C-alpha cells in the first residue's frame, strides 16, 4: 500500500480543479489592474503595484470558456475601480459576458464614487441581472480609511450612489472592511447599513494587516495627501492603525450576528460570515470558499496584461499561473497549479485541519489569509478566531434571546456524528410529569459494564428513562451516577444520555469516554446551564488530574419523529493529549468527584454570568493629520 500524498489526505477539504470538472469557477477581472479613482489607505491591490493604465478587453474575455474547458463561470468585475474603464468599455465587456452561455453570474464591485444614472441605464441595457457590490466600511466614522487622493472622505459620494440605486429599484450588497473604527459598534454599524433601501446583504471582512510595514508606492515626486495619511497610520503601535487582530474580528462579528438575529434584520439582510457559519453548523453546503472545499484552485484573477493566476488575495506575481492568450487550455492552468510552490504551501496548511475538531464546520478558512498569517507567525491566532466564530454562533442559534452566551470561551461546538432520540418532545413531557405512564425498560449489562438494551459494548440503543421511572437507578452506570444525580436532583436538569466510560481489551474497539448529555427545556435554561458549566469547569480546571481534560460541548439532538434539532450541552471527561488510556481511566473517578464538587460550589441565586472574562474593548485611534 503506497503512502498517501498531502493532496489525497486533504481531498475532502481542498479539492483541486482536476477533481471537480463540472464545478463552477470564479474569475475576477481586474478591469484596470490597480488603477482607482480613490486611494484607500488599506487597499491590498495597490500593494501589488500591478501595472495600471491598461484595460481587460472583450477579446480576452472571449478566451475564458476555452481556457476553462467550458466550465460554468462566475465573473466579477473588480479593481482597482472597474468603472474607471469608462462606460463604453464596460458596456463592451458586459455584452461579451451576456453572450456567453458558460457565464452563470456576473457581479461588479465598486467604490460607488462614480456611479450615476447613466451607469445604471448601461447596466440595465447590457446586463440586467448584474449584481452590484459597494465597498463601504460602515458609517462615516467607520469609512475613515476610504479617502480620495486629496485625503478627503469618500463617504458622502457613496451615500448618493446608494440613494440612486434605491430610486431605480436596484439592490446591492455591501462589503465592509472591519477596522478599529467600527470595533465595539457592531449593532450601530449594521443598523446604519441596513437602513439603506438598496442594501440586501452585508459582508464583514477582516483587516488583518498588523504585519504590513511598507507604505504603498506612488509614482512621481509629489506625495498625495492620502499617502501622507497612510504613512502616519503605519507608525501606530502594533501595526497600521487600520489593522485589527483575529480576536477583535471575532468579537465584532459575534456582536453583529447577535444583533442581526435579535433585531430581526435576518429577515431581509443576508449577513456574512454569519450565514455560511450557520449553514455549516446545520450540516448544509455553502459556496463561500472560506467555508467550502472549493478553495484557491477554483478562484482565478485576470489582469489587463494577460496574467492569469489564482485568488487575488494571494501575493503576486507568485500567484500567477499563465498568460491568457488564444489557445490557452485547461491544462495550461492545471499544470502550473500542480507545480505552484505558493499553492502547494496553501494546501499544506490544510494538513493541520485533518485532526482539528472543527474541520467539518470550519472548512479551513481563507487559504490566502492563513498563508500570510503563517508567514507572520500568527497562524494559531487565525484558527483560534475561526473556532470562536463557530462556538459563538452555535450559542446564538441555541439561545438567540440570550446573546451573552456567544462570548463564552469554555463551551465548544462538538457535534457527534449520530445524536438522535425517537421523540424528544414526548421525553421532555414525561420527565416533568410524575403521573405519566412509564413502560418497563430492557436493561442488560455487558461484560464491560455497558448498560443498554442489548448488553453489548460500544454505542448501543438504550431506553430513554427519567428519575421517576422505577428502573432509573439501575439504568445509570455507577461511574457516572454521582454526576447524573447532581445534574438531575440538585440542578433539576434533564439528561438525555450518559456513559461511565469503558476500556476494552480489544485494540480494534475504540474505548468510550465518560460523559453526560443535558437537554435544556428552554433557551433561558440553556444559557444559564452553559454559564454554570463554564464557571464549574474553570473552578476545577487547575485541580484536574493531568491525564484528564474536561470539555463542555455544544451539540444538537435530533428528534426522529419531527426532524427538529434541539440544542444540548454535553459534559465530557476526555483523555488529555498524549496520555495513555490506562492512566486516563485510573483518574476518572477523581476527575468526576472534582467536577461534582465544582458544580456543588455554584451559587445559583448569585452567579449568573459566564466564567470567561468579557472581551476587552478597543477604541479607534484618531485619524492622523495629513
Amino acid at each position: 500500500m503506497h503512502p498517501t500524498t498531502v493532496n489525497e489526505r486533504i481531498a475532502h477539504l481542498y479539492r483541486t480543479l482536476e477533481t471537480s470538472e463540472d464545478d463552477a469557477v470564479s474569475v475576477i477581472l481586474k478591469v484596470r489592474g490597480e488603477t482607482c479613482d480613490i486611494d484607500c489607505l488599506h487597499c491590498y491591490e495597490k500593494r501589488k503595484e500591478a501595472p495600471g493604465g491598461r484595460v481587460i478587453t472583450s477579446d480576452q474575455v472571449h478566451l475564458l470558456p476555452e481556457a476553462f474547458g467550458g466550465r460554468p463561470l462566475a465573473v466579477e468585475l473588480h479593481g482597482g475601480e472597474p468603472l474607471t474603464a469608462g462606460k463604453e468599455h464596460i458596456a463592451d465587456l458586459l455584452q461579451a459576458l451576456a453572450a456567453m452561455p458558460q457565464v452563470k453570474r456576473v457581479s461588479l464591485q465598486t467604490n460607488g464614487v462614480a456611479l450615476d444614472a447613466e451607469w445604471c441605464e448601461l447596466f440595465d441595457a447590457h446586463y440586467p441581472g448584474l449584481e452590484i457590490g459597494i465597498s463601504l466600511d460602515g458609517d462615516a466614522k467607520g469609512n475613515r480609511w476610504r479617502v480620495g487622493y486629496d485625503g478627503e472622505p469618500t463617504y458622502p459620494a457613496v451615500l448618493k450612489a446608494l440613494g440612486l440605486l434605491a430610486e431605480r429599484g436596484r439592490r446591492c450588497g455591501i462589503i465592509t472592511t472591519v477596522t478599529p473604527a467600527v470595533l465595539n459598534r457592531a449593532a450601530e454599524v449594521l443598523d446604519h447599513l441596513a437602513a439603506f433601501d438598496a442594501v440586501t446583504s452585508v459582508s464583514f471582512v477582516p483587516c488583518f494587516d498588523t504585519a504590513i510595514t511598507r507604505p504603498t508606492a506612488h509614482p512621481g515626486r509629489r506625495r498625495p495627501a492620502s499617502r501622507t495619511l497612510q504613512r502616519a497610520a503605519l507608525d501606530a503601535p502594533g501595526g497600521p492603525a487600520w489593522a485589527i487582530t483575529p480576536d477583535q474580528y471575532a468579537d465584532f462579528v459575534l456582536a453583529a450576528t447577535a444583533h442581526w438575529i435579535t433585531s430581526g434584520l435576518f429577515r431581509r439582510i443576508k449577513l456574512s460570515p454569519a450565514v455560511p457559519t450557520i449553514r455549516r453548523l446545520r450540516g448544509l453546503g455553502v459556496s463561500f470558499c472560506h467555508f467550502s472545499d472549493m478553495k484557491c484552485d477554483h478562484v482565478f484573477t485576470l489582469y489587463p496584461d494577460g496574467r492569469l493566476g489564482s485568488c487575488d488575495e494571494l501575493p503576486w506575481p507568485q500567484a500567477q499561473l499563465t498568460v491568457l492568450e488564444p489557445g490557452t487550455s485547461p491544462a495550461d492552468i492545471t499544470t502550473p497549479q500542480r507545480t505552484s510552490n505558493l499553492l502547494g504551501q496553501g494546501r499544506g496548511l490544510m494538513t493541520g485541519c485533518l485532526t482539528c475538531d472543527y474541520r467539518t464546520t470550519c472548512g479551513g478558512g481563507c487559504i490566502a489569509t492563513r498563508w500570510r498569517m503563517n508567514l507572520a507567525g500568527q497562524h494559531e491566532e487565525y484558527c483560534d478566531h475561526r473556532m470562536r466564530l463557530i462556538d459563538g454562533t452555535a450559542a446564538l442559534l441555541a439561545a438567540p434571546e440570550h446573546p451573552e452566551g456567544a462570548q463564552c470561551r469554555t463551551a465548544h461546538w462538538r457535534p457527534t456524528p449520530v445524536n438522535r432520540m425517537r421523540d424528544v418532545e414526548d421525553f421532555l413531557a414525561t420527565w416533568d410529569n410524575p403521573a405519566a405512564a412509564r413502560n418497563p425498560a430492557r436493561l442488560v449489562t455487558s461484560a464491560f459494564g455497558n448498560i443498554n438494551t442489548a448488553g453489548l459494548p460500544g454505542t448501543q440503543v438504550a431506553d430513554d428513562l427519567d428519575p421517576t421511572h422505577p428502573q432509573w437507578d439501575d439504568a445509570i452506570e455507577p461511574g457516572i451516577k454521582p454526576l447524573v444525580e447532581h445534574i438531575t436532583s440538585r440542578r433539576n436538569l434533564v439528561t438525555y444520555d450518559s456513559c461511565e466510560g469503558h476500556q476494552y481489551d480489544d485494540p480494534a474497539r475504540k474505548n468510550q469516554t465518560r460523559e453526560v448529555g443535558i437537554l435544556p427545556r428552554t433557551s433561558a435554561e440553556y444559557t444559564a446551564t452553559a454559564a454554570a458549566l463554564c464557571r464549574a469547569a474553570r473552578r476545577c480546571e487547575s485541580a484536574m488530574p493531568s491525564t484528564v481534560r474536561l470539555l463542555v460541548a455544544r451539540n444538537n439532538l435530533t428528534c426522529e419523529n419531527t426532524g427538529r434539532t434541539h440544542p444540548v450541552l454535553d459534559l465530557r471527561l476526555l483523555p488529555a493529549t498524549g496520555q495513555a488510556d490506562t492512566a486516563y481511566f485510573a483518574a476518572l473517578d477523581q476527575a468526576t468527584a472534582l467536577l461534582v464538587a465544582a458544580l456543588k460550589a455554584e451559587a445559583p441565586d448569585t452567579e449568573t454570568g459566564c466564567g470567561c472574562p468579557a472581551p476587552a474593548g478597543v477604541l479607534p485611534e484618531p485619524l492622523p493629520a495629513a
Side-chain angles (χ1 to χ4, degrees), residues 459-479:
T459 302
Q460 305 291 336
V461 174
D463 289 332
D464 301 315
L465 308 184
D466 63 273
T468 306
H469 195 287
Q471 294 171 278
W472 169 258
D473 284 339
D474 296 333
I476 308 301
E477 295 168 356

Side-chain angles (χ1 to χ4, degrees), residues 38 111-113 135-144 146-148 152-162 192-193 196:
I38 65 174
N111 59 42
V113 169
S135 300
L136 180 67
D137 298 345
D139 54 14
K141 185 191 295 186
N143 213 57
R144 62 192 303 181
R146 294 191 182 273
V147 298
E152 293 301 313
T154 62
Y155 179 77
V158 182
L159 293 197
K160 290 181 182 178
L162 289 171
H192 180 79
L193 296 172
F196 295 106

Side-chain angles (χ1 to χ4, degrees), residues 417-431:
V418 179
N419 204 34
R420 294 177 172 275
M421 179 180 284
R422 182 170 300 166
D423 194 328
V424 176
E425 288 79 4
D426 182 68
F427 175 70
L428 286 171
T430 301
W431 187 288

